[in-house]
Amino acid sequence: MSYRSLKLAGLSATVAVGALLLTACGGQPAAGEGSTEGGGISGSVVADGSSTVAPLTEAAADFFRDEAPDVNVTVATSGTGGGFAKFCADETDISNASRPIKDEEIALCEDAGIEYTEIVIANDGLSVVVNPENDFAQCLTVEQLNTIWGPDAEGTVTSWNQVDSSFPDLPLALFGAGTDSGTFDYFTDAINGEEGAIRTDYSPSEDDNITVQGVSGDEGAIGFLGLSYVEENPDAMKAVEVDGGAGCVAPSAETVQDGTYTPLGRPLFIYVNNASYAEKPQVKAFVDFYVESEAEVAEAALFIGLTEEQKATAQDELATLG
């Protein structure tokens, strides 16, 4: 099953995962909800946040259904920032995030008395993508990407030949993540040197599938999104190699894990509400299953699994909660 294809087929932002469509919940269930009577587990697990991480959690929930068919796992995609807002308001059990939690979000959770645990659940590479007909931008340096995407480029850098004189005089069409996305935060920091610093005359969306459609439909297009979207849409766009200072490197599982794909390789996170984990058997069971099955989950959702060190760290984090 392809979880990217499910999203492209038009699943709603709130996804009831599994072969059975599970009923979405309106807000955080009451503390302690869930049952283990008769040896089975029931109840709800509510996740929200990053659209990049959502397919991972969806895949984990789909597999978990075989272990606990009476547990309903719902996954919504309001972006990493939107997910943290709900998480810190005690509306969700799990917050999917494509970047670490920010200081202001930490303060929000602290003010609300929400304690949580951060777990690296997979790895991803941000890809810079161009239209399949583009035969000239095989590799771009970080400096060239900054020329295209930096705030100073707004209204001034409008053609490919302004990026490199050897490139054709072809109008740029720009697509990428919206401002509430962890992908946006990561890309702008890595390429422009500051989170949120970017030209505003591009087409932003919290749904990476919009970027796929935009890049595939314009010969002069360039965009940025998660590596898994490229693997899922090989005919719609192609990834360019990125030169972070040590030569051109293509995004791949190997280059992300070994650290050579810089600066656009990154970990992906889930944040677990400690009270939910302690008080709701279904949340504990699901999170434990998610971590133990991370390799299978990552493969199914077209992401990159954890290294042995990352897996050991995730297991240690759970041990402190148990």
Side-chain angles (χ1 to χ4, degrees), residues 252-289:
S252 70
E254 293 75 17
T255 59
V256 169
Q257 281 192 322
D258 67 20
T260 59
Y261 182 63
T262 59
L264 294 179
R266 62 173 177 174
L268 300 174
F269 306 87
I270 58 171
Y271 285 76
V272 180
N273 181 307
N274 290 358
S276 292
Y277 187 89
E279 299 168 7
K280 300 177 185 178
Q282 74 276 21
V283 173
K284 181 182 188 302
F286 174 64
V287 172
D288 288 351
F289 176 88

Side-chain angles (χ1 to χ4, degrees), residues 20-309:
L20 298 176
L21 294 179
L22 305 176
T23 304
C25 300
Q28 176 79 323
E33 179 190 303
S35 172
T36 57
E37 292 181 5
I41 302 172
S42 64
S44 299
V45 179
V46 182
D48 201 337
S50 167
S51 63
T52 299
V53 182
L56 280 161
T57 304
E58 291 163 13
D62 198 8
F63 293 139
F64 185 63
R65 181 179 55 83
D66 294 333
E67 305 289 326
D70 293 327
V71 175
N72 292 353
V73 182
T74 59
V75 186
T77 53
S78 60
T80 295
F84 278 131
K86 294 181 179 180
F87 185 71
C88 294
D90 200 24
E91 296 176 9
T92 58
D93 302 300
I94 296 169
S95 201
N96 297 322
S98 56
R99 57 157 172 80
I101 191 169
K102 295 180 178 180
D103 288 344
E104 57 266 32
E105 293 161 342
I106 292 173
L108 191 64
C109 276
E110 288 178 347
D111 290 344
I114 304 299
E115 297 183 352
Y116 56 84
T117 298
E118 176 192 277
I119 297 173
V120 174
I121 200 62
N123 297 290
D124 189 22
L126 287 191
S127 296
V128 176
V129 294
V130 294
N131 184 273
E133 299 300 315
N134 184 321
D135 59 359
F136 53 87
Q138 306 294 329
C139 175
L140 294 172
T141 66
V142 171
E143 290 75 16
Q144 287 174 320
L145 290 172
N146 175 258
T147 296
I148 295 171
W149 290 101
D152 293 341
E154 183 169 343
T156 60
V157 179
T158 58
S159 175
W160 277 99
N161 67 355
Q162 293 175 275
V163 180
D164 188 305
S165 60
S166 68
F167 293 165
D169 185 11
L170 180 67
L172 284 163
L174 307 172
F175 301 88
T179 58
D180 206 24
S181 167
T183 298
F184 172 86
D185 294 334
Y186 188 88
F187 182 82
T188 52
D189 183 50
I191 299 303
N192 297 331
E194 179 184 351
E195 280 191 11
I198 195 170
R199 63 191 298 170
T200 62
D201 55 342
Y202 79 104
S203 297
S205 177
E206 306 300 338
D207 183 352
D208 288 336
N209 294 308
I210 301 300
T211 296
V212 174
Q213 295 166 11
V215 171
S216 66
D218 192 312
E219 186 177 351
I222 183 170
F224 61 92
L225 37 58
L227 172 60
S228 53
Y229 280 90
V230 180
E231 296 174 337
E232 179 70 6
N233 299 276
D235 298 326
M237 57 190 176
K238 61 182 180 181
V240 302
E241 297 180 358
V242 174
D243 184 352
C248 298
V249 179
S252 70
E254 293 75 17
T255 59
V256 169
Q257 281 192 322
D258 67 20
T260 59
Y261 182 63
T262 59
L264 294 179
R266 62 173 177 174
L268 300 174
F269 306 87
I270 58 171
Y271 285 76
V272 180
N273 181 307
N274 290 358
S276 292
Y277 187 89
E279 299 168 7
K280 300 177 185 178
Q282 74 276 21
V283 173
K284 181 182 188 302
F286 174 64
V287 172
D288 288 351
F289 176 88
Y290 197 166
V291 170
E292 289 308 311
S293 306
E294 57 79 22
E296 181 182 17
V297 168
E299 181 179 5
L302 301 178
F303 284 90
I304 302 162
L306 300 178
T307 64
E308 291 184 6
E309 182 178 359

